[in-house]
Amino acid sequence: MMRVAILGEQNFSLIDGSTIWLLNVCKLISLQHDIEPVLVLSHPLTNDLLAKELPERVKIVRFEEISHLLAPGADRLDAASASLALGVAERLHGPLDRVFVRGARFLESLVHEPDWRQRVVAYTPETLPDLTRPEPAWLLAAREARIPLVVQSEIAKQAMEALSNYPAQVVHVVPPIVFDDAEREPRANSPVRLCYSGKIDPNYGIDWLLEFCETLPDQSDLAATIIAGKDSFRARHPEFFKKFDVFRSDVLSGFVQNVEYHSNLSHAEAKAQMSKAHFAFCLRHAKYDDVIEISTKIVEFSSLGVPPILNDTALNRSLFGEDYPYYVDILSENVVERLHEIMASVGTESYELAQARTTEIASQFSASKLSDKLGTAIRGFSDAAFVDEGSKRRILIATHERKFLNQFLDQVRGDPNIDIVWQHWKTTTQYGPQAPNVPPDVDTVFCEWACENAVWHSHNKRQGTKLIVRLHRFEAFRDFPARINWEAVDALIVVSEYFRDMMVEDHGVDPDRIHILPQYIDWDQLQRSKHPDANFTLGLVGINPFDHKRFDRAIDFFAKLRQKDPRFQLAVRSVMPWQIGWVWDADNDDKVKFENVFNRIFADPVLQGSVRFDPAGPDMEEWYRGIGTILSSSDTEGCHTSVMEALASGSDAVVYNWPGARSLFDEHVEDDMADAVDRVIAFADDPAQPEKRRAFSQSMKQYDVVKFTRDFFQL
Amino acid sequence: MTQNQIPDELDWRLPQRLAYVVDRSLPYSNDAYAYRTHAIAQGMVANGFEVIVFSRPGHPWDLEEVGNSKYVPLDTTRDGVRYIFLPTFDDPDISRRERLRNVERTLFEALSIFRPSAIMAVSNWENARPAANIARRLSIPFLYEARDLPQLSEGDHDQRNEEETPPDLNKRREAEIIRASAGLFAATNDVSADLIARGSAPERTYVISNGAWSKPPQAPILRRSQIGCEARHLLGCFVSPSSPDDALNLVRLVAAIRENGVDVDALLIHHPEGSSDDGPAAAAPERNAISNLVSDLRLGGHVHDAEDTSFDEIGGYYALCDALMFWSDGVSNRSDSAAALVPYHAASYGVPIFVSDHPHLKKFAAEIDAEVFDSSHLRGQAESLQEFLQGDHAKFVDELPAETYWEQRVAPLVSMMTSISNEEISRQRRQNAMGAPALETSAPPFDLKAIPETMFAPEQSLAIAAIGPCEELRDETPSFTSLTRTNIYSHLALAPPGLFIVDWAGLQREKTPSAYDEWSALWTISDMRLNRQMMDACRIAANRGWRLVVFGPVHGSEAPLFRTVSGLFDVQAQDEEEIA
């Protein structure tokens, strides 16, 4: 059982979109039977309308139980006290495995606390950066620590990855949640009712709603319901509120026909009223047109079968489709007239289409589906654990460089039966001033990279432990394999048949102990649609060092391709060689070779303007969407992960026949890359391209990180 | 005193640098206080940090043996730890308040120059308060190292001012220090518990126990003959100024072993722990007790003294011994709760150690796997030692468990400094990422509209680099470059800065296929990489002084991602004919 605290900056006594979100998160988490939710209230509870709807499983830590730790008179939890509050939660309910946090201040505090950082799962509705403002402090720390992040939509996820460099593997999409548990009131055929539910804020289109309501006394077949939350920004909009106050008073006094006004309803009561409407008023002023977050209200209305009337924005179109009939262009249309037009469409095909669409959309946001998504985000994995229930594994990872382990670690992080202990080696050849140490409760030592770490552990293996070594590539060409005591190594992971054969032939390693497990990929993360310009865009990842990656060979191929078909472009994503000291200052002629290639790119008329250099970055999943064909021009490689990833994303590949290439990429391998020119051109215009892209992708599924992780724990 | 302009907040600091503020330090004080300071600093250096130890301003010139005239190097380094000494010459009659103000003034100037990313100060509050104030003024984290319980640490500060300090003032000042601390490091669990009881948050309170040295100071090699010992075996112990019982116990033990025919002598090491103001290593009455016992037991010539040793030299005496005996932890009564430095220091040299079942020693024994003996049973002790001496014992103990060494003991501080260091690096990256002051902290960009030429002849004066049709400008501007996804970075980075224009309205009018198709998804939700490229391009342009203009209007409904860069652009409506 995993115990999870839920901590948000919202005041749970108020009813608005964000507190309803908090309520729904609690409900969602409580559906996960292996998770015990603990809601930590950041404000005193003065109104229990929402609290009454919490499932029994949800334990509550009240503000009063924390307040003695705060400054006298404090009326809310401040950022500095977040960890204290969680300490109280632990004291009352037991150790916390995770903390699900919403709120920049709380996040900023907790991600900087060593005790809490690794337990935080962050939620943010704000996903677009502003170049003129610094990044939030919490985001910097969270990104570095690979803290799991929950966002509302795929668009928000893509934005976090591409614009804020957040690692794709730890960004989880959990859209707004809707619980289909409301009692639906029967919907009368007449009058046709428009419903608004939310705060009274002129930016939320209430001025248009007011104007619409003013037309209603003349129309007996139309009605409106306003389920009002709090008044917002009264001081900023005195004229509006002057008018609205009069209107509200008139409605409540019965002077306005066909308009109902409700306030202080429980959430369930509000939803019951909403369900009586034929249309939902979800318009907002242009100020909100660039919001990319999905409105919870829109989803709620959809779940109740009430088609929303929406701003005509890219986001709404991406959700409801181009053919949804109830968009309003608030800049060019008369909103009130358009509302009347829409409300007259009940019973038509448009209305039926809209109803069907909303039902479809609501099913995407069903609680059961989203509960699993949220559970995965919090837990760190979704499927059964990698280790059998009841057995514990304690793995010591000895390495000088852990960058190729990130996705593996993302997988095991959530498994309570797996403990990872680190042994950091300073370099490939040195541990530090003292000898390494293997704690007595470690059952497995995993040497990531077959360097001096593997040499030492193979000669100092403690009885009863398992020793696993992973050899990438360069180690095979150094003296490390010759000095490793292979008898002591229980399992050697290599990335291709080529390296397996090398280890057997050159070092006498028992072939039964060798496992070919290429560097894994996160296959699911790579399933994204291609951009239109991908068709004629080739990709090349990493050009350093020259003699290894053979940038010149890739450019030769590309030049030949361009000579035949100038539609093609090449996108190179790499650190530049002069940015790496050991590459640029190497004691060889690589620098001259690089200069020659770059001069050619800039001067050759065939190539001019066709090679784009994209700065190195972590958002490779988004980058591959713009790549139709990936190139691998190297003289040697381990398994060339970028080719695997690109194929998994649906790209084609042209791979030079480096040792081991055929065992991984057979149909894409060429002895001479120029032989692939015609194939690449044909593929760009191939009507069967979609199916072929799917087949490329499927061919890489076997290298998915989940499979690797399962295989690893079976070694 | 420097005349430099010292900022109130340090804009730039060295992420890995810790300023360690102490009352006194090596090499002018070589007591346990100074050695613990050095050991912690060394441990941090071994973990990759830079530590600068700042002694109380005025130290060591206030020591009698130094005075005002002796040359004191102001900046020395020992074992990778840097020591800074700050001369300041106070009137001895000034009040404590004035003295602390002077200390703060001097330290502030020094720390403003050295620019650490954090300051740690040792208890008690008198030493820590100036440092805490400075940390607050410079907006850097303050860390507090509490070495003892408050009532026992009264002596751990400058004794020059003899004002009586009311207990509640001390309590209040300590509480202020605790509140001001981002992290608190206690020397023992007892001190840690005391800090928490006095308001320190448990999750910010850590223990850095005394530890052993992985590379203890190299002492001169001695021979037993130099101390007058001709016996086959030698057992050593420490003589504390205020607890000489260990010496008496060792004398009795050696006598008991010798009765069994084993040729063994005793070495009384008058150890250096204690205040540097302590007098001779053992007072006369205690020495008399020892010599009387030696005489009574007829051990004349078999008990030797190592006098006035320092921590640096003591290793030579350890190495003479077959084993070292501890009946107590060798500290003076004034700090009963503090685990002594001496046993760990001794263990660092690898000489076998035997400890009694004294409560404070049991933990130490467990850590280094030492033999524990029943302190009440002399006969049993003698038999055990006899067996050890006559058996095939190893002369030196192999390495101690890794967690015993100072490099591991300082782990909580390493963790905290790592966090502080990372935050500092991130902070500097944030500041620098936008091209230093241009977008974040400096004044707003200069309004080019104030220059008449930009109004009346912009197309003749300024180069234009544009995305989209820009139909009129393209034909009329001599220096017009059409930006593509391939050349946008290089052009903005290299060309003379002018006008960077996005003809958004023109892009919306274009029908696919067109020469601008590669920009068709700009600022939409469908291609975040394109939006990222635009953000980076805008960053380059703004840093280099380009003026960014978009021909609009740009509606959020069509371009929701425009807001990522909108703050940099002048938006011009379609019907404006001139570039303002």
Side-chain angles (χ1 to χ4, degrees):
Chain A
M1 181 70 74
M2 184 177 272
R3 187 172 293 110
V4 177
I6 302 151
L7 177 65
E9 287 180 336
Q10 305 93 317
N11 184 345
F12 206 51
S13 302
L14 304 176
I15 301 178
D16 59 27
S18 65
T19 51
I20 292 173
W21 172 91
L22 188 58
L23 169 66
N24 286 338
V25 160
C26 292
K27 286 170 145 182
L28 212 62
I29 291 177
S30 68
L31 292 178
Q32 296 288 300
H33 296 295
D34 65 331
I35 296 180
E36 180 189 312
V38 178
L39 175 63
V40 179
L41 294 179
S42 57
H43 295 72
L45 196 67
T46 54
N47 175 344
D48 63 353
L49 280 177
L50 291 181
K52 279 200 291 209
E53 294 192 42
L54 286 169
E56 272 186 32
R57 286 194 74 224
V58 178
K59 298 190 168 62
I60 301 179
V61 176
R62 295 183 178 273
F63 181 78
E64 290 72 23
E65 291 170 301
I66 308 162
S67 56
H68 64 283
L69 299 168
L70 308 176
D75 64 347
R76 67 192 69 192
L77 203 61
D78 60 14
S81 311
S83 60
L84 297 179
L86 295 174
V88 170
E90 286 199 310
R91 182 169 52 76
L92 293 173
H93 299 293
L96 295 171
D97 299 289
R98 297 281 190 273
V99 184
F100 187 54
V101 184
R102 174 173 176 167
R105 293 180 305 118
F106 287 155
L107 283 170
E108 189 167 332
S109 170
L110 292 172
V111 298
H112 286 105
E113 299 238 9
D115 276 350
W116 292 105
R117 182 185 306 136
Q118 292 307 319
R119 293 187 268 178
V120 169
V121 177
Y123 172 84
T124 181
E126 306 284 334
T127 52
L128 290 187
D130 181 343
L131 203 55
T132 60
R133 292 171 196 268
E135 280 189 310
W138 75 263
L139 179 58
L140 293 163
R143 178 175 55 218
E144 238 175 88
R146 292 178 75 89
I147 285 173
L149 181 66
V150 175
V151 297
Q152 273 200 350
S153 66
E154 286 295 335
I155 295 165
K157 175 175 160 68
Q158 291 158 16
M160 288 305 294
E161 291 171 17
L163 306 183
S164 299
N165 291 343
Y166 216 93
Q169 293 75 26
V170 293
V171 182
H172 303 268
V173 177
V174 182
I177 312 128
V178 170
F179 283 86
D180 191 12
D181 54 4
E183 272 190 39
R184 297 198 190 190
E185 298 273 345
R187 187 179 295 144
N189 285 334
S190 182
V192 174
R193 186 171 292 277
L194 177 69
C195 179
Y196 171 78
S197 176
K199 56 187 176 183
I200 305 302
D201 180 348
N203 283 313
Y204 276 36
I206 308 299
D207 52 339
W208 296 318
L209 185 63
L210 193 54
E211 210 182 309
F212 173 77
C213 289
E214 286 168 352
T215 67
L216 289 184
D218 300 332
Q219 312 252 353
S220 60
D221 57 342
L222 297 178
T225 300
I226 300 175
I227 304 168
K230 58 185 180 186
D231 290 355
S232 289
F233 305 123
R234 281 191 68 97
R236 282 191 212 171
H237 305 284
E239 288 305 312
F240 166 78
F241 276 102
K242 203 164 149 186
K243 197 171 170 194
F244 191 83
D245 287 345
V246 169
F247 168 76
R248 177 165 40 202
S249 170
D250 286 347
V251 169
L252 292 172
S253 303
F255 298 146
V256 179
Q257 303 302 318
N258 290 350
V259 177
E260 291 177 13
Y261 188 95
H262 304 276
S263 60
N264 287 323
L265 295 183
S266 71
H267 189 216
E269 287 167 341
K271 281 169 75 172
Q273 288 296 326
M274 286 157 68
S275 68
K276 290 197 297 191
H278 296 82
F279 293 96
F281 181 87
C282 295
L283 295 176
R284 292 188 180 175
H285 277 272
K287 176 180 164 163
Y288 289 100
D289 268 349
D290 57 6
V291 162
I292 65 168
E293 285 79 39
I294 303 171
S295 157
T296 308
K297 273 283 171 268
I298 290 176
V299 175
E300 262 195 327
F301 272 115
S302 299
S303 76
L304 295 168
V306 181
I309 299 171
L310 302 166
N311 290 56
D312 189 354
T313 66
L315 179 73
N316 287 336
R317 283 186 178 267
S318 74
L319 194 57
F320 282 81
E322 296 291 328
D323 59 346
Y324 184 74
Y326 300 138
Y327 295 122
V328 179
D329 184 345
I330 59 171
L331 297 175
S332 63
E333 296 183 88
N334 182 305
V335 174
V336 176
E337 280 178 17
R338 181 76 176 114
L339 287 174
H340 277 280
E341 190 185 305
I342 288 171
M343 291 186 71
S345 70
V346 171
T348 65
E349 272 184 27
S350 295
Y351 191 71
E352 284 171 16
L353 186 154
Q355 282 192 307
R357 189 63 46 81
T358 52
T359 304
E360 202 181 297
I361 283 162
S363 68
Q364 296 172 26
F365 301 108
S366 71
S368 53
K369 249 190 204 166
L370 298 186
S371 177
D372 286 343
K373 279 188 175 233
L374 186 55
T376 299
I378 288 173
R379 228 184 268 112
F381 63 94
S382 59
D383 287 335
F386 299 106
V387 172
D388 295 335
E389 190 62 40
S391 64
K392 285 257 187 215
R393 296 290 299 274
R394 193 161 164 84
I395 317 284
L396 181 143
I397 303 181
T399 184
H400 69 284
E401 171 61 76
R402 49 173 94 172
K403 69 180 175 192
F404 292 121
L405 291 176
N406 282 333
Q407 294 166 13
F408 169 76
L409 294 170
D410 290 337
Q411 293 296 313
V412 302
R413 174 196 172 118
D415 193 329
N417 297 319
I418 300 173
D419 272 339
I420 301 289
V421 177
W422 288 97
Q423 184 183 84
H424 175 66
W425 283 65
K426 276 192 175 162
T427 66
T428 58
T429 57
Q430 271 188 338
Y431 171 67
Q434 300 162 47
N437 175 46
V438 178
D441 52 354
V442 162
D443 58 78
T444 304
V445 174
F446 172 36
C447 291
E448 161 74 345
W449 304 90
C451 298
E452 197 64 32
N453 54 337
V455 172
W456 189 90
H457 280 283
S458 69
H459 289 283
N460 292 277
K461 184 181 172 187
R462 199 180 67 231
Q463 202 168 14
T465 59
K466 193 181 290 194
L467 178 59
I468 301 173
V469 176
R470 181 157 82 149
L471 181 144
H472 287 256
R473 186 193 69 85
F474 87 91
E475 312 97 287
F477 304 104
R478 301 272 292 272
D479 71 337
F480 301 117
R483 296 191 292 114
I484 292 172
N485 174 19
W486 292 109
E487 284 298 311
V489 176
D490 297 287
L492 169 64
I493 299 172
V494 295
V495 296
S496 71
E497 288 178 1
Y498 172 73
F499 286 98
R500 178 199 60 195
D501 296 344
M502 184 190 290
M503 298 310 291
V504 170
E505 286 159 22
D506 294 355
H507 301 289
V509 181
D510 178 358
D512 288 341
R513 296 192 189 190
I514 303 180
H515 305 266
I516 301 175
L517 298 177
Q519 173 63 6
Y520 42 78
I521 59 174
D522 194 329
W523 189 85
D524 286 319
Q525 291 288 345
L526 291 157
Q527 303 313 299
R528 305 183 186 202
S529 58
K530 291 289 185 193
H531 293 312
D533 59 355
N535 220 21
F536 295 100
T537 306
L538 274 60
L540 180 68
V541 179
I543 60 175
N544 302 297
F546 191 96
D547 276 345
H548 170 35
K549 293 293 187 179
R550 295 299 306 275
F551 188 27
D552 59 320
R553 185 180 284 136
I555 295 300
D556 282 342
F557 167 77
F558 181 61
K560 290 188 171 84
L561 177 66
R562 284 269 300 178
Q563 271 167 339
K564 273 202 160 179
D565 189 336
R567 293 178 294 175
F568 285 89
Q569 305 271 311
L570 173 65
V572 179
R573 191 156 205 196
S574 177
V575 176
M576 290 297 107
W578 46 86
Q579 292 179 297
I580 307 174
W582 64 265
V583 168
W584 202 238
D585 300 327
D587 189 18
N588 55 30
D589 55 359
D590 276 10
K591 184 171 167 181
V592 171
K593 290 177 185 173
F594 269 122
E595 285 171 349
N596 290 341
V597 175
F598 279 101
N599 285 331
R600 182 183 175 191
I601 290 169
F602 300 142
D604 187 338
V606 170
L607 296 173
Q608 263 185 344
S610 66
V611 180
R612 184 181 93 217
F613 289 93
D614 291 336
D619 59 330
M620 294 305 291
E621 294 81 3
E622 276 297 297
W623 188 79
Y624 289 123
R625 295 180 69 188
I627 306 299
T629 300
I630 193 78
L631 302 182
S632 172
S633 53
S634 309
D635 274 345
T636 64
E637 284 288 347
C639 55
H640 215 162
T641 315
S642 63
V643 177
M644 297 167 64
E645 288 180 334
L647 281 166
S649 78
S651 302
D652 192 4
V654 177
V655 180
Y656 179 70
N657 191 10
W658 39 264
R662 285 211 185 274
S663 69
L664 292 161
F665 308 119
D666 188 29
E667 64 180 290
H668 305 279
V669 177
E670 309 284 351
D671 291 324
D672 181 348
M673 287 178 79
D675 294 341
V677 166
D678 290 335
R679 157 161 87 80
V680 170
I681 295 171
F683 182 69
D685 294 317
D686 189 345
Q689 198 193 85
E691 292 85 42
K692 287 184 179 173
R693 290 204 186 282
R694 276 193 289 276
F696 295 150
S697 178
Q698 285 297 320
S699 72
M700 292 292 115
K701 197 162 184 197
Q702 60 184 304
Y703 304 119
D704 181 54
V705 63
V706 174
K707 182 174 181 304
F708 174 93
T709 309
R710 285 217 179 90
D711 289 346
F712 178 88
F713 284 100
Q714 299 301 318
L715 291 175
Chain B
M1 297 284 188
T2 179
Q3 297 296 317
N4 289 341
Q5 183 97 15
I6 297 170
D8 282 340
E9 178 179 319
L10 285 182
D11 216 30
W12 174 85
R13 312 149 196 166
L14 285 117
Q16 301 285 91
R17 178 173 283 180
L18 171 68
Y20 198 359
V21 175
V22 300
D23 177 73
R24 59 192 181 275
S25 67
L26 298 175
Y28 302 100
S29 291
N30 50 29
D31 56 4
Y33 179 101
Y35 269 89
R36 177 176 161 96
T37 298
H38 190 67
I40 288 176
Q42 262 185 295
M44 292 300 289
V45 168
N47 279 284
F49 290 92
E50 187 195 353
V51 180
I52 305 181
V53 178
F54 293 86
S55 293
R56 164 180 43 81
H59 174 76
W61 291 270
D62 53 354
L63 295 178
E64 202 178 304
E65 59 268 32
V66 175
N68 292 342
S69 54
K70 187 172 175 182
Y71 169 67
V72 173
L74 304 182
D75 183 347
T76 63
T77 299
R78 173 181 162 139
D79 302 323
V81 178
R82 196 169 172 189
Y83 286 87
I84 299 294
F85 298 96
L86 301 168
T88 184
F89 304 98
D90 280 335
D91 184 337
D93 294 329
I94 62 170
S95 67
R96 181 207 305 271
R97 184 192 296 262
E98 274 309 308
R99 179 167 51 78
L100 291 181
R101 279 208 190 114
N102 292 344
V103 165
E104 183 177 329
R105 262 197 288 274
T106 308
L107 273 177
F108 178 80
E109 295 225 18
L111 289 169
S112 301
I113 292 167
F114 283 93
R115 299 182 173 256
S117 62
I119 301 175
M120 183 160 84
V122 176
S123 54
N124 66 5
W125 68 265
E126 280 197 43
N127 180 63
R129 195 163 186 233
N133 288 342
I134 293 165
R136 181 176 40 78
R137 288 164 67 184
L138 297 178
S139 296
I140 56 179
F142 171 73
L143 312 175
Y144 186 44
E145 185 200 346
R147 292 195 178 174
D148 218 325
L149 298 172
Q151 64 273 18
L152 297 174
S153 66
E154 287 297 300
D156 277 340
H157 63 274
D158 175 31
Q159 290 279 21
R160 291 184 304 165
N161 193 304
E162 295 301 326
E163 287 169 13
E164 187 66 27
T165 309
D168 56 353
L169 174 64
N170 273 350
K171 202 171 153 186
R172 193 157 23 102
R173 292 281 182 251
E174 288 288 336
E176 284 169 5
I177 298 297
I178 289 171
R179 273 198 299 277
S181 307
L184 294 101
F185 299 90
T188 66
N189 289 328
D190 285 344
V191 174
S192 171
D194 177 70
L195 286 171
I196 292 170
R198 287 190 286 129
S200 172
E203 58 275 9
R204 280 200 284 262
T205 310
Y206 308 92
V207 176
I208 300 182
S209 316
N210 283 334
W213 281 255
S214 56
K215 288 187 186 139
Q218 291 297 302
I221 296 174
L222 298 171
R223 283 192 285 280
R224 287 185 184 173
S225 57
Q226 287 174 262
I227 60 166
C229 172
E230 292 171 1
R232 182 161 178 188
H233 302 290
L234 184 65
L235 295 176
C237 82
F238 295 89
V239 181
S240 159
S242 55
S243 59
D245 288 351
D246 278 32
L248 299 172
N249 287 330
L250 181 62
V251 169
R252 291 189 194 102
L253 176 63
V254 162
I257 298 174
R258 287 188 70 85
E259 275 178 19
N260 294 337
V262 179
D263 185 16
V264 58
D265 279 6
L267 176 62
L268 307 181
I269 305 172
H270 299 271
H271 74 88
E273 186 158 24
S275 162
S276 59
D277 294 333
D278 279 356
E286 287 72 32
R287 285 200 178 246
N288 287 341
I290 294 169
S291 58
N292 287 343
L293 182 62
V294 168
S295 173
D296 290 346
L297 294 174
R298 300 208 177 97
L299 282 180
H302 294 291
V303 176
H304 315 281
D305 289 280
E307 301 269 14
D308 293 332
T309 53
S310 71
F311 274 102
D312 283 346
E313 299 154 350
I314 204 168
Y317 292 99
Y318 298 157
L320 291 178
C321 301
D322 290 86
L324 296 166
M325 312 294 301
F326 285 90
W327 280 268
S328 67
D329 58 1
V331 288
S332 61
N333 288 332
R334 67 175 180 82
S335 55
D336 286 336
S337 66
L341 201 61
V342 161
Y344 290 94
H345 188 248
S348 307
Y349 286 89
V351 177
I353 290 179
F354 288 79
V355 305
S356 76
D357 47 6
H358 185 288
H360 285 147
L361 288 171
K362 275 189 178 170
K363 175 177 175 280
F364 164 69
E367 281 189 300
I368 66 157
D369 204 21
E371 287 285 333
V372 179
F373 59 83
D374 180 352
S375 56
S376 61
H377 195 221
L378 178 60
R379 199 52 51 195
Q381 294 168 36
E383 283 167 9
S384 293
L385 264 299
Q386 181 177 341
E387 196 182 316
F388 168 78
L389 291 171
Q390 292 180 322
D392 189 17
H393 68 272
K395 182 146 176 61
F396 291 105
V397 173
D398 279 345
E399 274 188 19
L400 302 174
E403 55 271 17
T404 320
Y405 291 108
W406 281 107
E407 290 88 344
Q408 291 289 328
R409 291 295 215 227
V410 296
L413 183 55
V414 168
S415 175
M416 177 141 293
M417 276 303 296
T418 302
S419 174
I420 290 170
S421 169
N422 287 341
E423 170 54 32
E424 176 55 28
I425 291 169
S426 300
R427 188 187 72 87
Q428 289 187 28
R429 275 193 190 137
R430 285 198 301 277
Q431 282 193 327
N432 295 338
M434 308 296 188
L439 291 170
E440 189 173 332
T441 58
S442 72
F446 185 77
D447 186 357
L448 296 180
K449 293 176 198 165
I451 305 171
E453 286 83 352
T454 65
M455 280 290 292
F456 296 105
E459 63 275 17
Q460 291 167 14
S461 306
L462 288 174
I464 292 178
I467 292 172
C470 288
E471 278 146 5
E472 285 181 22
L473 285 174
R474 182 183 292 273
D475 296 329
E476 293 167 8
T477 307
S479 175
F480 183 96
T481 302
S482 189
L483 294 178
T484 67
R485 291 193 68 184
T486 305
N487 73 2
I488 186 169
Y489 286 155
S490 57
H491 188 80
L492 293 174
L494 295 173
L499 288 167
F500 170 33
I501 296 176
V502 178
D503 184 5
W504 173 259
L507 286 172
Q508 303 316 299
R509 284 194 299 270
E510 290 289 315
K511 303 265 184 267
T512 299
S514 82
Y516 311 106
D517 280 350
E518 62 178 351
W519 297 109
S520 61
L522 180 64
W523 294 329
T524 71
I525 56 176
S526 58
D527 191 342
M528 289 299 170
R529 286 286 318 158
L530 178 59
N531 292 319
R532 176 57 185 264
Q533 188 176 32
M534 177 54 79
M535 280 177 69
D536 289 341
C538 289
R539 202 177 267 135
I540 296 169
N543 285 355
R544 288 200 68 238
W546 289 80
R547 192 171 137 217
L548 285 73
V549 174
V550 60
F551 293 165
V554 184
H555 297 305
S557 55
E558 295 163 334
L561 274 290
F562 177 58
R563 74 184 216 219
T564 59
V565 294
S566 58
L568 295 174
F569 278 91
D570 287 334
V571 181
Q572 292 198 343
Q574 271 177 282
D575 55 4
E576 288 188 36
E577 293 188 8
E578 289 187 19
I579 299 170

